[in-house]
Amino acid sequence: MKGPSAVSSRRKSGVTRLLWTLFGACLVATVIGYKPVVIVHGLFDSSGVFVELLRFINQSHPGTNVSVIDLFDRSSSLQPLWKQVEGFKEAIYPIMQNAADGVHFICYSQGGLICRGILSTLPNHNVHSFISLSSPQAGQYGDTDYLKYLFPQFMKSNLFHFCYTGVGQRISICNYWKDPHHTDMYVNGSDYLALLNSERSNPNSTVWKNNFLRIKKLVLIGGPDDGVITPWQSSQFGFYNDNETVVEIKDQDLYLRDVFGLKTLNARGDLFLCSMAGVEHVKWHSNDTVFNTCIEKWLV
């Protein structure tokens, strides 16, 4: 039988090992230093919808500084996208300035297009991973519940009459409404997406491309059961031709001509597509499988 001194010594030894283990863990976390994460919400959303995503990040990358930008919430998300870009840019830029090693973007739904606007027009950004989470990057064309709510008198086939006007372009969804049957009207009438895609003449296209290519990784997440992004492949830069047949990203003209850098990113090995079935549009940011499979590894 061991005496009290032996037991006390063993306890002290155990406590010492535990303290060294904790110290080592803290030291590793300090040395690794996760980059700050900036989250931008989508249409009719606010910062409050990302509770689960924040929990996922905190569990997998403890100590990460996460900023969910609380601007243009709910109905204010209908304001023109260039106005939103400027507002979000003003809020996000100080975060970038305080992050010597760069930041990550997670941009959901309409927020993914806002982030593209920021990345294209901000010459000295330091965004490492741009994670586009179910965002209509190639445009939107579908009779969804959102469309019926916003424009009850219109269907997808006739919304072009409104969207490609000066009044229509004051509403965010019209900024990326892309009718494949009225391409000329889209090119001439879209003040946002057609400019970002250089489908409309843009004297800043080279500068914007160089700015966008400052990102280190582009991660495009989407899936066939989304139910809102139409076609769902738009989340990965696929879109309809005039027969409403989906043309995948690598067969798109904007990829083949590398108009804003997709082909360059792919050649660099920095373009990643993550597709997942069974996820509804409003569930992408609260689904742990989506996070573990498509997001977690890029937040380093």
Side-chain angles (χ1 to χ4, degrees):
M1 184 174 179
K2 297 180 180 179
S5 60
V7 174
S8 177
S9 177
R10 187 172 61 186
R11 285 177 179 169
K12 289 180 180 178
S13 177
V15 170
T16 300
R17 284 197 301 272
L18 177 60
L19 290 174
W20 274 109
T21 300
L22 292 174
F23 175 75
C26 292
L27 184 62
V28 168
T30 302
V31 171
I32 292 175
Y34 298 118
K35 294 177 178 64
V37 174
V38 175
I39 300 176
V40 175
H41 68 75
L43 186 67
F44 295 134
D45 280 335
S46 68
S47 59
V49 305
F50 296 107
V51 173
E52 289 300 303
L53 181 56
L54 289 170
R55 183 172 64 84
F56 297 153
I57 296 172
N58 184 59
Q59 288 177 344
S60 63
H61 297 79
T64 299
N65 181 10
V66 183
S67 299
V68 186
I69 309 302
D70 195 19
L71 287 174
F72 299 100
D73 293 352
R74 302 178 181 86
S75 61
S76 293
S77 64
L78 289 170
Q79 294 191 44
L81 289 189
W82 282 124
K83 180 178 180 179
Q84 295 195 50
V85 164
E86 291 307 310
F88 277 103
K89 189 189 299 184
E90 185 176 349
I92 292 170
Y93 190 59
I95 301 172
M96 294 181 179
Q97 289 181 306
N98 290 323
D101 295 328
V103 303
H104 299 306
F105 271 7
I106 301 177
C107 307
Y108 169 62
S109 195
Q110 179 178 277
L113 288 169
I114 292 169
C115 288
R116 267 188 71 198
I118 295 170
L119 294 169
S120 298
T121 59
L122 191 57
N124 55 348
H125 74 76
N126 58 355
V127 174
H128 193 278
S129 296
F130 170 29
I131 300 169
S132 173
L133 185 58
S134 189
S135 174
Q137 293 292 355
Q140 172 76 3
Y141 184 70
D143 286 321
T144 65
D145 289 340
Y146 283 83
L147 183 68
K148 294 170 187 175
Y149 172 75
L150 287 171
F151 308 107
Q153 72 275 36
F154 288 105
M155 297 177 62
K156 70 176 185 181
S157 59
N158 61 7
L159 187 58
F160 72 94
H161 288 296
F162 174 74
C163 270
Y164 301 144
T165 66
V167 174
Q169 288 297 300
R170 297 176 190 170
I171 299 176
S172 64
I173 190 173
C174 284
N175 292 157
Y176 50 93
W177 186 256
K178 188 173 182 178
D179 189 325
H181 307 290
H182 298 89
T183 302
D184 288 345
M185 292 185 70
Y186 157 73
V187 169
N188 293 319
S190 172
D191 292 335
Y192 191 80
L193 186 62
L195 282 175
L196 276 185
N197 288 348
S198 289
E199 295 164 305
R200 181 176 177 179
S201 180
N202 178 9
N204 298 310
S205 60
T206 300
V207 173
W208 286 13
K209 178 179 179 179
N210 291 336
N211 292 341
F212 186 72
L213 284 171
R214 289 177 62 87
I215 63 174
K216 302 299 186 289
K217 308 289 179 187
L218 173 59
V219 183
L220 303 172
I221 304 170
D225 301 306
D226 182 276
V228 171
I229 306 304
T230 313
W232 75 264
Q233 292 92 339
S234 178
S235 59
Q236 299 173 342
F237 285 101
F239 204 71
Y240 294 129
N241 61 15
D242 57 5
N243 292 320
E244 293 192 36
T245 299
V246 173
V247 178
E248 301 288 351
I249 177 174
K250 291 185 180 178
D251 294 316
Q252 287 283 342
D253 180 67
L254 56 80
Y255 176 90
L256 294 171
R257 293 194 297 116
D258 200 29
V259 291
F260 60 88
L262 288 178
K263 194 172 184 179
T264 296
L265 285 169
N266 191 50
R268 279 174 17 189
D270 295 329
L271 173 63
F272 304 92
L273 277 56
C274 190
S275 305
M276 188 164 294
V279 184
E280 298 176 15
H281 186 69
V282 296
K283 300 293 186 181
W284 285 103
H285 46 70
S286 60
N287 186 300
D288 57 351
T289 303
V290 171
F291 180 79
N292 295 335
T293 305
C294 302
I295 299 176
E296 180 180 2
K297 59 187 172 184
W298 306 115
L299 301 183
V300 295

